[in-house]
Each structure stands twice: as structure tokens, then as C-alpha cells.
Amino acid sequence: MADNTRSSKISEEEMNKVLAKAEKEAEKKDHKKQWIEKMIKSAKTYHKLCPHYDKKSQICFLTLGGAKCTREGKFENCPVFIEDLEKKYNEIVSKGKMLPMDYLDLSHIV
């Protein structure tokens, strides 16, 4: 019976492999999140309102249909702005290029 309980349990080595893989994925997500936060802070230094927001027509240029901005141009926690930064992050990383350190450099890379 002791042999049956051992075979049904996961070995320490297997558990360590699974944990290491999970940590790498979490680290990658954390790096992405940190970079997005850094870009938002950088964008704040240059723009009071979202750089993709038209004040006169209140339209967000990031939405495909040119929908009205529900956040009145505030981009700090805007899901559309964050999604755009995530896409740019994934695009830059997939091309193997270096990530920009400043929001203004983002337009030169992509």
C-alpha cells in the first residue's frame, strides 16, 4: 500500500519544474505590467489628456469606429489605452526589439 501512495503523489522534482514554469510566466506578466505603468507615467508628463483623444468631437482614435470617449480623455486607467499599450508591447517583444523607456520613443519604434 505504501507504494501506491507514492506513485499517486507528484515528485518534488516535478513540482519544482511546474513552479519554475509558473514563476517565469508570472515574471513575464509582471514585466509587461511594469512597462505599461511606466509608459502611462511617461505619457502623463507630456499630456494632460489622452494623446488619442479629440477634445472637440470627444472621440477616441484608438477605437475602430471612432466612438466617443467614456472617460472624457483621462487615460490613467483607461482599458482602451492599456490594451493599445499591451498590443505594442507584444509587437515589440515579438520582433525582438528593445522596449522604449519613454512614451515619446514609442512612436519611433512601432
Side-chain angles (χ1 to χ4, degrees):
M1 283 198 166
D3 292 333
N4 289 340
T5 57
R6 284 185 182 173
S7 63
S8 65
K9 290 183 180 180
I10 299 173
S11 71
E12 259 188 73
E13 188 177 311
E14 289 174 349
M15 184 63 101
N16 289 337
K17 286 180 183 178
V18 171
L19 286 174
K21 186 177 180 182
E23 285 176 0
K24 283 183 181 180
E25 287 178 18
E27 186 177 300
K28 185 177 181 182
K29 288 180 183 177
D30 288 342
H31 187 264
K32 183 178 189 179
K33 188 176 178 180
Q34 288 174 350
W35 183 82
I36 289 171
E37 289 174 2
K38 191 177 199 177
M39 289 296 106
I40 290 173
K41 282 182 184 179
S42 175
K44 273 189 199 177
T45 60
Y46 301 110
H47 305 284
K48 289 184 180 179
L49 295 176
C50 179
H52 306 287
Y53 174 72
D54 183 27
K55 232 180 187 179
K56 290 181 182 177
S57 62
Q58 297 179 343
I59 291 177
C60 176
F61 295 123
L62 292 176
T63 56
L64 293 175
K68 288 204 175 222
C69 180
T70 58
R71 302 186 49 79
E72 299 172 353
K74 298 175 185 168
F75 62 94
E76 190 169 323
N77 290 319
C78 177
V80 177
F81 189 70
I82 292 171
E83 183 181 328
D84 184 58
L85 287 174
E86 286 176 353
K87 286 179 186 176
K88 289 182 180 180
Y89 176 89
N90 291 334
E91 189 177 322
I92 292 168
V93 169
S94 68
K95 290 181 180 178
K97 293 185 178 179
M98 200 167 122
L99 290 168
M101 302 302 280
D102 193 35
Y103 183 76
L104 293 180
D105 296 335
L106 191 59
S107 63
H108 298 293
I109 291 179
V110 178

